[in-house]
């Protein structure tokens, strides 16, 4: 089974702090994604990566950056956390070799910024 | 037109009922289609891919109508455990390896 893990289930940070959210997958997937999910807004794509050291902006990249130094790990960075970044953050991975390119999700990190 | 549009519900149905969800998508070039299920405060999980000819997995049947840009999910003999939010998902561009777009979901409550 595909396993996607995220470093924390719950996180509380203060405004202005630098926040790192880590995601690791064990299925040798090339593609990795970061989303945030908010009530009434659904899942929104922040950043994605198709390969090591490669990154692409999604729909809402402002206030975020990412790092992909190793194939299995994709980190989301909030340079200076703000209260409007309080959300559920979900990491996903997929393989372009799969028949339908379905994505597999980690359990999510619920981030609260005070 | 929104990229992926679903009726948010909630659909409240008794156990044993048949329920159908619909979804429309805006990009006629999309090639990959899925239904995901998301339980409260959990991550989305793949329920089934949707094939051009339609496909069935036990009590679940998915249909695709490319001409109308419409996807459906039918659940027969609903169980209490089917209570969840169902997300319609489409790939963004006309190449297989592209980001997915998620609908906001349709909430289903199956009542005893």
């Amino acid at each position: 089974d595909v396993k996607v893990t995220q470093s924390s289930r719950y996180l509380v940070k203060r405004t202005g702090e630098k926040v790192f959210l880590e995601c690791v997958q064990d299925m040798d997937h090339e593609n990795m994604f970061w989303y945030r999910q908010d009530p009434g807004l659904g899942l929104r794509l922040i950043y994605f990566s198709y390969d090591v050291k490669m990154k692409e902006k999604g729909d809402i990249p402002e206030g975020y950056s990412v790092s992909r130094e190793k194939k299995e790990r994709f980190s989301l960075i909030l340079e200076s956390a703000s209260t409007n970044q309080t959300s559920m953050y979900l990491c996903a991975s997929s393989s372009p070799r799969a028949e339908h390119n379905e994505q597999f999700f980690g359990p999510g990190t619920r981030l609260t910024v005070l | 037109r929104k990229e992926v549009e679903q009726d948010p519900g909630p659909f409240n149905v008794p156990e044993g009922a048949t329920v159908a969800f619909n979804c429309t998508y805006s990009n006629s070039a999309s090639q990959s289609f899925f239904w995901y299920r998301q339980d409260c405060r959990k991550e989305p999980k793949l329920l089934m891919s949707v094939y051009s000819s339609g496909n069935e997995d036990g009590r679940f049947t998915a249909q695709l109508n490319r001409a109308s840009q419409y996807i459906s999910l039918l659940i027969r003999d609903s169980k209490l455990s089917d209570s969840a939010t169902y997300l319609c998902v489409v790939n963004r561009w006309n190449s297989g390896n592209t980001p997915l777009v998620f609908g906001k979901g349709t909430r289903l409550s199956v009542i005893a």
Side-chain angles (χ1 to χ4, degrees):
Chain A
D1 271 356
V2 176
K3 194 154 184 201
V4 181
T5 57
Q6 294 183 229
S7 48
S8 307
R9 293 300 301 273
Y10 299 93
L11 208 53
V12 179
K13 295 291 181 181
R14 296 208 173 273
T15 302
E17 280 193 80
K18 191 167 185 175
V19 181
F20 293 87
L21 303 182
E22 305 284 344
C23 175
V24 177
Q25 50 90 8
D26 66 358
M27 283 301 292
D28 200 35
H29 283 173
E30 289 81 357
N31 306 334
M32 296 189 76
F33 306 84
W34 274 107
Y35 297 87
R36 63 178 283 176
Q37 187 173 29
D38 302 286
L41 297 177
L43 275 102
R44 293 182 290 166
L45 182 63
I46 304 170
Y47 267 97
F48 60 101
S49 168
Y50 287 151
D51 203 351
V52 175
K53 296 197 185 293
M54 176 268 178
K55 60 184 178 185
E56 293 282 349
K57 291 180 180 179
D59 299 315
I60 51 163
E62 296 79 18
Y64 303 95
S65 62
V66 289
S67 171
R68 185 127 183 242
E69 295 296 318
K70 292 185 177 181
K71 189 176 185 180
E72 67 270 19
R73 188 180 296 269
F74 191 36
S75 303
L76 180 70
I77 303 151
L78 287 64
E79 295 289 342
S80 177
S82 62
T83 53
N84 63 11
Q85 292 179 310
T86 292
S87 185
M88 168 71 100
Y89 289 88
L90 290 155
C91 174
S93 72
S94 71
S95 171
R97 295 167 277 126
E99 184 182 356
H100 295 287
N101 196 33
E102 60 268 31
Q103 292 181 13
F104 298 90
F105 284 85
T109 296
R110 192 167 290 278
L111 173 67
T112 302
V113 183
L114 301 174
Chain B
R1 188 178 188 180
K2 291 182 184 171
E3 285 186 281
V4 178
E5 208 151 0
Q6 299 180 246
D7 180 345
F11 285 63
N12 299 313
V13 303
E15 267 188 296
T18 295
V19 61
F21 306 138
N22 301 320
C23 161
T24 57
Y25 61 95
S26 60
N27 185 355
S28 60
S30 293
Q31 294 184 347
S32 299
F33 308 91
F34 310 94
W35 283 101
Y36 275 71
R37 170 198 169 122
Q38 186 172 24
D39 294 296
C40 191
R41 302 183 80 80
K42 300 273 191 168
E43 74 273 23
K45 292 186 177 176
L46 179 68
L47 178 67
M48 57 197 302
S49 301
V50 184
Y51 303 133
S52 295
S53 54
N55 49 300
E56 192 173 299
D57 183 2
R59 297 181 293 109
F60 299 85
T61 300
Q63 296 279 350
L64 170 64
N65 183 323
R66 284 189 185 272
S68 303
Q69 294 176 216
Y70 168 101
I71 305 162
S72 65
L73 176 68
L74 184 79
I75 305 175
R76 289 181 299 279
D77 188 24
S78 299
K79 311 288 184 196
L80 294 175
S81 58
D82 294 334
S83 298
T85 297
Y86 291 83
L87 307 175
C88 175
V89 185
V90 173
N91 78 317
R92 184 160 284 185
W93 304 310
N94 62 352
S95 164
N97 191 30
T98 64
L100 301 178
V101 181
F102 288 76
K104 293 179 183 177
T106 298
R107 208 159 58 129
L108 171 67
S109 289
V110 181
I111 305 157

